[in-house]
């Protein structure tokens, strides 16, 4: 077992991230291990989205220390970006391209071959009759599954999801939960920020509270 | 597992993706081309004099091209913004130089087709002709000017993408920047077709200007694009 696979996927130590002069994260510390599904819960403006964007290498670390997938958050943000997938309120899809064309494009940016791309499409359940449909014609749930197929094709090892259930019906939410559990079993690490505590709590293997830019363990919230 | 693709490989992927988006949406074909053609017809009605049209036709072709560039650039970044795809490429750590070069390549190819259509329109509407000895200069002018316009268009498109008021900001920034292309391409086109006593040899220095402009903005744009689209 190499050093990277033994060390946590995410390690933050007193991390501070400043947005527009305001410390959106004010001394956050956490370790996230391989294969975890971690739920971040907290009120609006608590710093959940900033935490996700910090872990994606999009927000600079102003103070403290941090590593993601073995890369230093202060000096190796570009390397981090290539190995994580962040899915926010948008899906990052080209609406005039088909499902297959979208997944192929995103997979090709990391050199994924045809077999990997076809596998990603099948795993996320957007093959068969959907693969040649333009994204503009898909439902919200189908679009979200297509976006997740793009993450798989991109070989993202750390999935950072901001309100992944938002705007989806019950069936689509069940589909997303099943996909995330399967991704974690396959070795991905998943961090979810959600207001839907009942659903996301059932999905998560661990829950933490994000309050005023700091991370507190939510004792007794972990589910097997 | 394949190795990570090179910048050129990703640039080709981005260009192919942009052209595929156009193939599905047909916005350039169904809206931009007719817009450019209508502009040419309106010029013909407004000037309404064969002698004047003969004299100013090269400038009108390039002016119509400039207006169309603005529409095409807006479109090139609208497809990126619609569902957060440009943000997603940034998140994914896709080389911004490759994004810039790929988008410029796709825009350049669309522009080149547009310019050919506009030249044909000029032949039909303004009774233009190009002597055989000017064909090489005209072809080189089309290529150089297209590269320059694409390089500037994508650079400023990236700069204004996501900004409020981008629809008005883009022309405000782009039109002054491409003024050298408008002047150089018009003079070179006049020389290629022998307008107002110009000869082909008069056009080569203007072609040099266009080439330098395209290289300068192409290199500068590739280097600046990453910081521009980053936060």
């Amino acid at each position: 077992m190499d050093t990277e696979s033994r060390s946590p996927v995410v390690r933050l130590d007193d991390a501070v991230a400043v947005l527009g002069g305001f410390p959106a994260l004010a001394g956050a510390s956490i370790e996230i291990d391989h294969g975890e599904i971690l739920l971040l819960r907290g009120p609006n403006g608590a710093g959940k989205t900033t935490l996700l964007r910090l872990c994606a290498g999009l927000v600079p670390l102003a103070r403290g220390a941090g590593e993601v997938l073995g890369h230093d958050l202060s000096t190796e943000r570009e390397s981090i970006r290539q190995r994580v997938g962040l899915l926010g309120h948008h899906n990052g899809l080209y609406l005039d391209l088909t499902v297959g064309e979208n997944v192929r494009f995103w997979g090709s940016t990391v050199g994924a071959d045809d077999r990997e791309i076809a596998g990603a499409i099948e795993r996320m359940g957007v093959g068969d009759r959907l693969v040649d449909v333009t994204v503009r014609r898909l439902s919200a749930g189908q679009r979200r599954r297509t976006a997740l197929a793009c993450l798989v094709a991109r070989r993202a090892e750390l999935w950072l999801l901001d309100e992944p259930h938002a705007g989806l019906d019950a069936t689509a939410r069940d589909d997303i939960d099943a996909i995330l559990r399967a991704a974690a079993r396959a070795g991905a690490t998943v961090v979810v920020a959600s207001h839907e505590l009942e659903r996301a709590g059932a999905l998560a293997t661990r829950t933490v509270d994000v309050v005023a830019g700091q991370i507190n363990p939510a004792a007794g919230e972990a589910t097997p | 597992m394949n190795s990570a693709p090179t910048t050129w490989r990703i640039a080709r992927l981005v260009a192919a993706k942009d052209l595929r988006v156009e193939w599905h949406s047909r916005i350039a074909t169904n809206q931009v081309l007719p817009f450019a053609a209508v502009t040419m017809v309106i010029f013909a009605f407004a000037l309404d004099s064969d002698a004047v049209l003969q004299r100013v036709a090269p400038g009108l072709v390039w002016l119509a091209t400039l207006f169309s560039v603005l529409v095409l650039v807006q479109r090139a970044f609208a497809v990126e913004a619609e569902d957060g795809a440009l943000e997603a490429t940034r998140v994914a750590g896709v080389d911004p130089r490759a994004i810039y070069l790929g988008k410029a390549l796709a825009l350049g190819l669309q522009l080149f087709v547009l310019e050919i259509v506009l030249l044909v329109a000029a032949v039909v509407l303004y009774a233009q002709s190009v002597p055989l000895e000017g064909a090489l200069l005209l072809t080189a002018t089309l290529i150089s000017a297209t590269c320059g316009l694409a390089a500037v268009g994508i650079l400023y498109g990236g700069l204004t993408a996501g900004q409020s008021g981008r629809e008005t900001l883009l022309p405000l920034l782009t039109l002054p920047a491409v003024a050298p292309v408008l002047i150089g391409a018009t003079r070179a086109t006049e020389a290629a077709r022998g307008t107002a006593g110009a000869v082909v040899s008069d056009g080569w220095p203007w072609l040099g200007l266009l080439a330098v402009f395209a290289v300068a903005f192409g290199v500068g744009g590739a280097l600046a694009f990453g910081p521009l689209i980053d936060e």
Side-chain angles (χ1 to χ4, degrees):
Chain A
M1 189 178 277
D2 60 24
T3 310
E4 187 182 314
S5 59
R6 271 186 281 117
S7 60
V9 175
V10 176
R11 184 186 58 75
L12 298 180
D13 185 10
D14 202 21
V16 175
V18 179
L19 292 182
F22 175 77
L25 282 182
S29 299
I30 192 170
E31 288 192 357
I32 306 172
D33 288 321
H34 287 268
E36 272 199 276
I37 302 179
L38 178 75
L39 168 63
L40 307 176
R41 66 180 190 186
N44 286 336
K48 301 187 297 296
T49 299
T50 305
L51 178 59
L52 294 178
R53 293 174 69 81
L54 177 74
C55 291
L58 289 174
V59 175
L61 188 64
R63 211 186 64 205
E67 276 185 7
V68 174
L69 293 161
H71 297 287
D72 192 305
L73 264 175
S74 301
T75 56
E76 299 175 291
R77 285 162 60 200
E78 284 299 322
S79 304
I80 291 169
R81 290 182 190 184
Q82 290 165 11
R83 297 177 60 188
V84 306
L86 173 66
L87 204 51
H89 303 296
H90 291 109
N91 290 309
L93 300 172
Y94 294 98
L95 303 190
D96 289 313
L97 295 185
T98 66
V99 168
E101 287 168 340
N102 267 286
V103 180
R104 182 168 300 281
F105 171 72
W106 286 109
S108 299
T109 61
V110 295
D113 58 27
D114 289 348
R115 190 179 50 79
E116 281 181 272
I117 290 164
I121 290 171
E122 288 307 315
R123 272 178 64 189
M124 297 302 131
V126 287
D128 299 330
R129 65 187 178 84
L130 290 181
V131 75
D132 292 323
V133 176
T134 53
V135 171
R136 197 178 292 283
R137 294 173 56 196
L138 299 181
S139 69
Q142 290 167 334
R143 289 184 187 193
R144 192 46 64 112
R145 278 191 280 143
T146 303
L148 292 172
C150 294
L151 289 194
V152 173
R154 268 192 51 224
R155 304 170 182 154
E157 297 161 66
L158 172 61
W159 294 22
L160 304 164
L161 309 175
D162 199 357
E163 303 290 353
H165 302 106
L168 304 184
D169 61 25
T171 308
R173 289 169 182 219
D174 290 342
D175 289 344
I176 296 296
D177 288 353
I179 286 168
L180 297 183
R181 286 193 182 97
R185 279 198 302 273
T189 304
V190 181
V191 181
V192 178
S194 180
H195 281 108
E196 302 189 42
L197 301 181
E198 194 173 335
R199 174 170 284 276
L203 170 70
T205 56
R206 182 159 65 109
T207 301
V208 294
D209 289 325
V210 182
V211 181
Q214 297 194 322
I215 302 169
N216 304 317
E221 290 291 336
T223 54
Chain B
M1 189 179 284
N2 299 339
S3 58
T6 62
T7 298
W8 284 113
R9 164 98 178 113
I10 297 179
R12 287 202 304 275
L13 284 171
V14 171
K17 177 264 297 172
D18 274 12
L19 293 173
R20 205 167 282 129
V21 167
E22 165 51 24
W23 177 255
H24 284 297
S25 66
R26 305 288 170 102
I27 296 289
T29 314
N30 294 342
Q31 294 178 21
V32 181
L33 265 179
F35 166 75
V38 167
T39 306
M40 294 288 281
V41 172
I42 287 174
F43 282 149
F45 280 129
L47 296 172
D48 197 23
S49 158
D50 284 350
V52 175
L53 281 173
Q54 285 283 331
R55 174 71 185 82
V56 301
L60 297 183
V61 167
W62 287 107
L63 210 49
T65 303
L66 278 194
F67 292 151
S68 305
V69 165
L70 298 174
V71 182
L72 286 172
V73 170
Q74 298 270 21
R75 170 67 185 159
F77 284 93
V79 300
E80 300 284 349
E82 212 168 8
D83 194 30
L86 188 62
E87 162 91 348
T89 54
R90 206 163 62 81
V91 173
V94 178
D95 186 348
R97 292 170 303 177
I99 301 171
Y100 173 81
L101 293 171
K103 292 194 80 64
L105 179 61
L107 175 64
L109 289 170
Q110 293 175 73
L111 269 181
F112 194 76
V113 172
L114 177 85
E115 288 159 8
I116 299 293
V117 172
L118 288 177
L119 282 174
V120 170
V123 168
V124 173
L125 295 169
Y126 308 157
Q128 295 288 293
S129 62
V130 178
L132 196 58
E133 62 268 26
L136 178 63
L137 175 62
L138 182 63
T139 305
T141 300
L142 283 180
I143 293 170
S144 300
T146 301
C147 291
L149 291 174
V152 174
I154 295 301
L155 180 64
Y156 284 110
L159 177 67
T160 56
Q163 306 276 344
S164 60
R166 58 186 168 277
E167 296 84 0
T168 45
L169 194 57
L170 180 68
L172 194 64
L173 293 173
T174 306
L175 289 178
V178 295
V181 177
L182 178 66
I183 296 166
T186 300
R187 296 289 177 270
T189 307
E190 285 174 350
R193 66 169 303 274
T195 304
V199 293
V200 171
S201 59
D202 294 343
W204 296 111
W206 291 110
L207 180 65
L209 170 76
L210 292 173
V212 168
F213 184 95
V215 170
F217 263 94
V219 172
L223 295 175
F225 195 72
L228 283 182
I229 62 170
D230 220 332
E231 51 186 15

